[in-house]
Amino acid sequence: MAEINLIQNIGVSGFIFCALLLILPFMVSYYFKLGIIKKSVIIVSRMSFQLFLIGLLLTVVFDINNPLINVLWIFVMLFFATYTILEGTDFKTGPFLPTMLILFSIANILVLFYFTGFIIKLDDIFEARYLIPIAGMLMGNSLRANIVALNDFYHDVKNNEQRYLYRLCVGASRKEALFPYMQRSMLSSLKPTLANMATMGIVFLPGMMTGQILGGVNPILAIKYQITIMVAIFVTTVLGVLVCVIVVVEKGFDDYDLMVEDIKKV
């Protein structure tokens, strides 16, 4: 019996036509002298190589479907996600990486296994074809929000440094003095996720739902998955942002505190 392929394959000619689409942004870059043509070519090539490599590795991982290997893969993802968050901000990576990695991992793993165990109720919560893609969606969305939160927090405190120091000098604790900046950075980082959720299904069809429908899944079942994964993404994003901001507050302001102590002595 012939194998049934529910998704239309993309051949070499399809990739050629896809590459031709890049002519449009290249023309814009050339006209406005944006200087992104070379960078775009490198990034698209790098993305393609990475995805094909990951595709080959995932094929092996899915075939083996060993719980230990699956969990190890998740921890590798968590490490690179945490490192990318710090690299995408103006903070030094070293002092924050160990603590942030532990707390960020706890936040993501708790939601991940809650999702696989209680929401979709897998018989094997370590099953690779569910565990790894769902973990990727949770971390990917949380990663972007964390970068926004930490950058906004850093620049907000830097731009209001004198106001922050004044609050400390008049008796406010570190957390009290930083609370307005924490609040603003968390709100700004969560707004894109909330906006996506608000317009989902009306303005656009999300990736997970589209992929399942293309794969032949009933649209209602695809919608059920999309609703639950978006709730999980929102929760993971909130927890991830909270963890990252707390780590920065606890470990990134020792110099400020010493400065305030010196001022008070004077």
Side-chain angles (χ1 to χ4, degrees):
M1 183 179 294
E3 182 181 354
I4 299 175
N5 191 356
L6 296 175
I7 299 180
Q8 183 69 25
N9 187 33
I10 299 176
V12 176
S13 62
F15 276 99
I16 292 174
F17 281 111
C18 178
L20 290 175
L21 284 174
L22 292 171
I23 293 175
L24 296 175
F26 290 171
M27 290 172 62
V28 173
S29 176
Y30 179 79
Y31 182 82
F32 287 99
K33 295 180 173 55
L34 302 179
I36 63 170
I37 295 177
K38 182 179 178 181
K39 185 176 182 180
S40 298
V41 171
I42 293 173
I43 289 175
V44 170
S45 301
R46 176 182 171 182
M47 174 196 71
S48 302
F49 174 76
Q50 289 174 174
L51 288 175
F52 274 113
L53 180 61
I54 291 298
L56 293 173
L57 291 173
L58 284 177
T59 301
V60 176
V61 172
F62 286 3
D63 288 340
I64 298 174
N65 196 27
N66 181 285
L68 184 60
I69 294 176
N70 298 344
V71 171
L72 180 62
W73 186 285
I74 298 299
F75 276 108
V76 171
M77 292 171 66
L78 285 165
F79 174 80
F80 279 104
T82 308
Y83 184 81
T84 302
I85 289 170
L86 291 171
E87 280 291 295
T89 67
D90 294 312
F91 291 99
K92 294 181 180 178
T93 303
F96 302 104
L97 183 60
T99 306
M100 194 174 290
L101 175 60
I102 293 171
L103 296 178
F104 186 72
S105 298
I106 292 172
N108 279 270
I109 288 173
L110 285 176
V111 177
L112 174 62
F113 285 113
Y114 183 90
F115 187 88
T116 57
F118 294 99
I119 296 178
I120 58 177
K121 299 178 180 178
L122 295 178
D123 293 330
D124 178 11
I125 62 173
F126 297 100
E127 188 173 346
R129 72 186 185 96
Y130 285 95
L131 188 70
I132 294 173
I134 291 171
M137 284 185 281
L138 296 180
M139 290 181 213
N141 286 273
S142 180
L143 184 150
R144 288 191 292 269
N146 281 315
I147 292 175
V148 171
L150 292 184
N151 272 326
D152 283 4
F153 180 73
Y154 173 83
H155 291 294
D156 202 5
V157 173
K158 187 176 181 180
N159 292 334
N160 295 279
E161 181 178 6
Q162 296 303 318
R163 185 176 299 176
Y164 167 66
L165 291 173
Y166 172 76
R167 286 174 177 161
L168 291 177
C169 289
V170 296
S173 66
R174 181 198 299 174
K175 291 180 181 178
E176 289 172 338
L178 289 172
F179 183 80
Y181 313 116
M182 296 169 64
Q183 185 183 50
R184 283 196 290 267
S185 65
M186 292 178 72
L187 282 173
S188 64
S189 66
L190 296 176
K191 282 181 180 178
T193 302
L194 291 171
N196 281 339
M197 294 172 70
T199 57
M200 196 164 288
I202 300 175
V203 177
F204 73 102
L205 293 179
M208 182 182 190
M209 178 179 168
T210 302
Q212 287 184 315
I213 291 174
L214 289 173
V217 172
N218 182 284
I220 299 300
L221 179 57
I223 287 170
K224 291 179 181 179
Y225 267 85
Q226 190 62 57
I227 292 171
T228 53
I229 195 64
M230 284 309 301
V231 172
I233 285 172
F234 179 61
V235 173
T236 307
T237 301
V238 172
L239 293 178
V241 168
L242 175 64
V243 162
C244 288
V245 171
I246 287 176
V247 170
V248 169
V249 168
E250 292 298 325
K251 289 186 169 291
F253 288 85
D254 291 339
D255 291 340
Y256 276 117
D257 293 347
L258 291 173
M259 187 188 305
V260 171
E261 289 300 320
D262 291 338
I263 293 173
K264 286 181 178 179
K265 288 177 183 177
V266 175

